[in-house]
Amino acid sequence: MRVPDGDERERACCSDTTCGFISYQNPKVVVGAICSYESKILLCKRAIEPCIGKWGYPQGFMELGETTREGAAREALEEAGATLNPRDARLLAVYNLAGSQVQMIFAAPLTNDEMKRGIESEEVGLFSWDEIPWDDLAFPTVQWALEYARDNILPSGDMAPNLVPQQRTKAYFGEEWGVVEDM
């Protein structure tokens, strides 16, 4: 570990100074989609850790070569066999998990009600807001985004006009984690 020329932080660098390789360790980008069809929301029961057996919307790490909207659409297809048009996805929320992840969550209508569980899901289904297993959600960010969507997605499935995406930061303050409402 050393501070490379022109940088301010210690980085893992090749010990051969003629090589110049620097290994940058940066937060990962997670993309997800709260998908709706006829006033119901698509949820997946996780078949993988972390939070196996808990519910959430389709989400996962971005892949190289895709946009955030394309990543959200891919996750819906991989986890739930569900199809959405990336162009119809609207940014709903951005969550910064200090030092580890930036999550970009979209709201998008499904193109149809066809779905089948993917390898990462035990079960998939469409839920009305009253049917969502609120006490059995996988992550705090899942609850944040679902609550924000519930309050801002109209019965037609459209998002409220002039919606400002929710922004929250989860950070370590002294000896404990805290959440800051950015917007």
Side-chain angles (χ1 to χ4, degrees):
M1 296 287 285
R2 66 179 173 83
V3 177
D5 292 341
D7 204 333
E8 301 168 344
R9 295 178 182 262
E10 266 195 345
R11 312 272 185 197
C13 302
C14 181
S15 58
D16 177 356
T17 56
T18 61
C19 170
F21 178 78
I22 302 168
S23 176
Y24 291 94
Q25 301 297 313
N26 302 100
K28 302 292 186 190
V29 178
V30 171
V31 291
I34 296 180
C35 305
S36 59
Y37 185 81
E38 295 182 358
S39 299
K40 292 196 172 192
I41 302 300
L42 173 65
L43 294 179
C44 306
K45 190 172 190 181
R46 295 177 60 85
I48 59 171
E49 293 292 354
C51 298
I52 193 167
K54 300 287 187 175
W55 291 90
Y57 43 79
Q59 64 177 324
F61 295 108
M62 277 187 73
E63 298 292 348
L64 293 175
E66 67 186 4
T67 68
T68 52
R69 285 179 173 88
E70 290 168 343
R74 176 187 48 76
E75 288 293 337
L77 187 60
E78 286 180 2
E79 293 184 14
T83 307
L84 64 95
N85 184 333
R87 289 176 297 199
D88 295 335
R90 293 207 32 221
L91 185 61
L92 179 74
V94 177
Y95 301 129
N96 295 292
L97 307 183
S100 64
Q101 294 178 5
V102 174
Q103 296 187 7
M104 298 185 70
I105 310 304
F106 295 88
L110 293 171
T111 57
N112 57 54
D113 65 349
E114 295 175 19
M115 67 190 80
K116 64 177 183 173
R117 71 176 183 86
I119 194 167
E120 296 179 5
S121 301
E122 289 179 14
E123 191 178 331
V124 297
L126 291 169
F127 295 79
S128 70
W129 292 112
D130 292 336
E131 297 170 329
I132 289 176
W134 293 102
D135 293 332
D136 218 12
L137 298 177
F139 307 104
T141 52
V142 170
Q143 182 164 348
W144 298 345
L146 285 171
E147 288 172 346
Y148 195 66
R150 178 193 60 207
D151 296 341
N152 290 284
I153 293 179
L154 306 173
S156 65
D158 295 327
M159 288 179 56
N162 303 318
L163 177 73
V164 175
Q166 182 182 54
Q167 298 178 51
R168 286 188 174 170
T169 299
K170 183 177 178 183
Y172 194 70
F173 298 103
E175 296 183 14
E176 61 184 52
W177 286 96
V179 176
V180 176
E181 285 284 341
D182 297 328
M183 293 288 274

